[in-house]
Amino acid sequence: GADVVVIVTEWDAFRALDLRRVKELANAPVLVDLRNIYNPDDMAAAGFTYVSVGRA
């Protein structure tokens, strides 16, 4: 039921999220990735609004 999912760690558990499940559980498919774990194109293909920091 979260409005936004924010990743603030590089732990392996967060590198392999079940994105379909995250999308089902969230109020909106929005993911903020402060560690640049995920590929922006992959996230868009999965239907997420994806925000990362420090990328050119």
Side-chain angles (χ1 to χ4, degrees):
D3 292 323
V4 176
V5 175
V6 180
I7 297 177
V8 295
T9 182
E10 294 177 10
W11 291 358
D12 288 339
F14 294 94
R15 292 182 176 274
L17 292 176
D18 180 346
L19 296 177
R20 185 176 49 116
R21 181 86 169 124
V22 171
K23 192 174 175 183
E24 288 173 2
L25 293 172
N27 289 333
V30 178
L31 192 139
V32 177
D33 182 358
L34 300 179
R35 304 305 293 172
N36 296 326
I37 292 173
Y38 290 100
N39 179 297
D41 294 332
D42 294 342
M43 295 303 290
F48 280 85
T49 299
Y50 179 75
V51 179
S52 61
V53 295
R55 290 192 180 180

